[in-house]
Amino acid sequence: DGGITQSPKYLFRKEGQNVTLSCEQNLNHDAMYWYRQDPGQGLRLIYYSQIVNDFQKGDIAEGYSVSREKKESFPLTVTSAQKNPTAFYLCASSMIGGEPLHFGNGTRLTVT
Amino acid sequence: SQQGEEDPQALSIQEGENATMNCSYKTSINNLQWYRQNSGRGLVHLILIRSNEREKHSGRLRVTLDTSKKSSSLLITASRAADTASYFCATGSGNTPLVFGKGTRLSVIA
């Protein structure tokens, strides 16, 4: 079965620690995305990548970093510089930009 | 930047009734998509309508697009309790990432 896997489902960290969220897809999609969702809000784009070894900042990239060393994987690091990191993080992929997205089931990060 | 704006923010209906959600956007688009999100889960793509299309159907879903008014509507007919979810519109323009609205929370009461 093709799909996107995000892990872990829940993540708890202390303030000041960096944390990496995993996202893996086996859909052979070129484009991958990270969105952040806060309660009752829409999705805001953090970073996206349309090809291996290349990525672009989204609307709220400050305090986050990504890598795209393999087509299947697009990990997101939430750094200690992110002022308000507690949120629901969603990874998605698509064949190309603008086409329908396939989403993972998200990682809920809580930083205390 | 949030391009799409859904209306209403929340909608509560009885099972069997129709549910209509609207989406307005600001700039020109290539396509407009609707997604559903169940609580605590990822989004699921429902339907895509291209800028040269006016109406599209998929099962109990009907989507319209009016590019002159920069608006779209999603109609769910004969709603079921399982349709309870948040619904988001997203606009696509060229090869750039989709831009999502804030969503409509639909509650279908059995």
Side-chain angles (χ1 to χ4, degrees), chain A residues 1 10 12-14 19 22 25 52 54-55 57 63 65 71 83-84 88-90 97 100 102 104 111-112:
Chain A
D1 266 347
Y10 299 97
F12 298 88
R13 279 293 182 270
K14 294 288 188 188
V19 60
S22 169
Q25 55 101 357
V52 174
D54 189 41
F55 48 82
K57 293 181 180 180
S65 67
K71 189 174 185 177
K83 293 186 175 62
N84 186 17
F88 188 50
Y89 291 88
L90 286 160
H102 293 249
V111 176
T112 57

Coordinates of all heavy atoms in Angstrom, one line a residue, chain A residues 1 10 12-14 19 22 25 52 54-55 57 63 65 71 83-84 88-90 97 100 102 104 111-112:
Chain A
D1 N 0.8 -1.2 0.0 CA 0.0 0.0 0.0 C 0.9 1.2 0.0 O 1.8 1.4 0.8 CB -0.9 0.0 1.3 CG -2.2 -0.6 1.0 OD1 -2.6 -0.8 -0.2 OD2 -3.0 -0.9 1.9
Y10 N 2.8 11.2 18.6 CA 2.9 12.2 19.7 C 4.3 12.3 20.1 O 5.1 11.4 20.2 CB 2.1 11.8 20.9 CG 0.6 11.6 20.6 CD1 0.1 10.3 20.4 CD2 -0.2 12.7 20.7 CE1 -1.3 10.2 20.1 CE2 -1.6 12.5 20.4 CZ -2.1 11.3 20.1 OH -3.4 11.1 19.9
F12 N 6.9 14.7 22.9 CA 7.0 15.6 24.0 C 8.4 16.0 24.1 O 9.3 15.2 24.2 CB 6.4 15.0 25.3 CG 5.0 14.6 25.2 CD1 4.6 13.4 24.7 CD2 4.0 15.6 25.5 CE1 3.2 13.1 24.6 CE2 2.7 15.2 25.5 CZ 2.3 14.0 25.0
R13 N 8.7 17.3 24.3 CA 10.0 17.8 24.4 C 10.1 18.9 25.4 O 9.1 19.6 25.6 CB 10.6 18.3 23.1 CG 11.1 17.2 22.2 CD 12.3 16.5 22.8 NE 12.9 15.5 21.8 CZ 12.5 14.2 21.8 NH1 11.6 13.8 22.7 NH2 13.0 13.4 21.0
K14 N 11.2 19.1 26.0 CA 11.5 20.3 26.9 C 11.9 21.4 26.0 O 12.6 21.3 25.0 CB 12.6 19.9 27.9 CG 12.2 18.8 28.9 CD 11.2 19.3 29.9 CE 10.9 18.3 31.0 NZ 9.8 18.7 31.8
V19 N 14.2 19.0 18.0 CA 13.5 17.7 17.8 C 13.2 17.5 16.3 O 13.0 18.5 15.6 CB 12.1 17.7 18.6 CG1 11.2 18.8 18.1 CG2 11.5 16.3 18.5
S22 N 9.8 12.8 11.6 CA 10.1 12.0 10.4 C 8.9 12.0 9.4 O 7.7 12.0 9.8 CB 10.3 10.5 10.9 OG 10.4 9.6 9.8
Q25 N 7.6 8.7 2.3 CA 6.6 8.3 1.4 C 7.1 7.3 0.4 O 8.2 7.3 0.0 CB 6.1 9.6 0.7 CG 7.1 10.4 -0.1 CD 7.2 10.2 -1.6 OE1 6.5 9.4 -2.1 NE2 8.1 11.0 -2.2
V52 N 15.0 16.3 -5.1 CA 16.0 15.9 -4.1 C 17.1 16.9 -4.0 O 17.5 17.5 -5.0 CB 16.6 14.5 -4.4 CG1 17.7 14.1 -3.5 CG2 15.5 13.4 -4.4
D54 N 17.0 19.8 -2.8 CA 16.6 21.2 -3.0 C 15.3 21.4 -2.2 O 14.5 20.5 -2.2 CB 16.3 21.5 -4.5 CG 16.1 23.0 -4.7 OD1 16.8 23.8 -4.0 OD2 15.2 23.3 -5.5
F55 N 15.2 22.6 -1.5 CA 14.0 22.9 -0.8 C 13.9 24.4 -0.7 O 14.8 25.1 -0.8 CB 14.0 22.2 0.6 CG 15.3 22.4 1.4 CD1 15.5 23.6 2.1 CD2 16.2 21.4 1.4 CE1 16.7 23.7 2.8 CE2 17.4 21.5 2.2 CZ 17.6 22.7 2.9
K57 N 11.8 27.8 1.5 CA 11.0 28.2 2.7 C 9.6 28.5 2.3 O 9.3 29.0 1.2 CB 11.6 29.5 3.2 CG 13.0 29.3 3.8 CD 13.6 30.6 4.4 CE 15.0 30.4 5.0 NZ 15.5 31.6 5.5
G63 N 12.9 29.1 12.5 CA 12.9 28.2 13.7 C 12.8 26.7 13.2 O 12.8 25.8 14.1
S65 N 14.1 23.6 10.2 CA 15.0 23.3 9.1 C 14.6 21.9 8.6 O 14.0 21.1 9.2 CB 16.5 23.2 9.7 OG 16.6 22.1 10.6
K71 N 14.6 10.9 -2.1 CA 13.2 11.2 -2.7 C 12.1 10.8 -1.7 O 11.1 11.5 -1.6 CB 13.0 10.5 -4.0 CG 11.8 10.9 -4.7 CD 11.7 10.2 -6.1 CE 10.5 10.7 -6.9 NZ 10.5 10.1 -8.3
K83 N 9.8 29.9 18.4 CA 9.2 30.5 19.7 C 8.0 29.8 20.2 O 7.8 29.7 21.4 CB 8.9 32.0 19.4 CG 10.1 32.8 19.2 CD 9.7 34.3 19.1 CE 10.9 35.2 19.0 NZ 11.7 35.0 17.7
N84 N 7.2 29.2 19.4 CA 6.0 28.6 19.8 C 5.8 27.2 19.1 O 5.0 27.1 18.2 CB 4.8 29.5 19.6 CG 3.5 29.0 20.1 OD1 3.5 28.1 21.0 ND2 2.4 29.5 19.7
F88 N 0.3 20.8 15.7 CA 0.1 19.6 14.9 C 0.8 19.8 13.6 O 0.6 20.7 12.9 CB -1.4 19.4 14.7 CG -1.8 18.1 14.1 CD1 -1.3 16.9 14.7 CD2 -2.7 18.0 13.1 CE1 -1.7 15.7 14.1 CE2 -3.1 16.8 12.6 CZ -2.6 15.6 13.1
Y89 N 1.8 18.9 13.3 CA 2.6 19.0 12.1 C 2.2 17.9 11.1 O 2.1 16.7 11.4 CB 4.1 18.8 12.4 CG 4.6 20.0 13.2 CD1 4.5 20.0 14.6 CD2 5.2 21.1 12.6 CE1 5.0 21.1 15.3 CE2 5.6 22.2 13.3 CZ 5.5 22.2 14.7 OH 6.0 23.3 15.4
L90 N 1.9 18.4 9.8 CA 1.5 17.5 8.8 C 2.5 17.5 7.6 O 2.9 18.6 7.2 CB 0.1 18.0 8.3 CG -1.1 17.7 9.2 CD1 -2.2 18.6 8.9 CD2 -1.5 16.3 9.1
G97 N 4.0 20.3 -8.0 CA 3.4 21.3 -7.3 C 2.0 21.7 -7.8 O 1.8 21.7 -9.0
P100 N -3.1 17.3 -6.4 CA -3.6 16.9 -5.1 C -2.5 16.4 -4.2 O -1.6 15.7 -4.6 CB -4.5 15.8 -5.5 CG -5.0 16.2 -6.9 CD -3.8 16.8 -7.5
H102 N -1.2 14.2 -0.9 CA -1.4 13.0 0.0 C -0.8 13.4 1.3 O 0.4 13.8 1.4 CB -0.8 11.8 -0.6 CG -1.4 11.3 -1.8 ND1 -2.2 10.1 -1.9 CD2 -1.4 11.8 -3.1 CE1 -2.6 10.0 -3.2 NE2 -2.2 11.0 -3.9
G104 N 0.2 12.6 5.5 CA 0.4 11.7 6.6 C -0.6 12.0 7.6 O -1.4 12.9 7.5
V111 N 5.7 21.0 23.5 CA 7.0 21.5 24.1 C 6.6 22.2 25.4 O 5.8 23.1 25.4 CB 7.7 22.4 23.2 CG1 9.0 23.0 23.9 CG2 8.1 21.7 21.9
T112 N 7.2 21.8 26.5 CA 6.9 22.4 27.8 C 8.2 23.0 28.4 O 9.3 22.7 28.0 CB 6.3 21.4 28.8 OG1 7.2 20.3 28.9 CG2 5.0 20.9 28.2

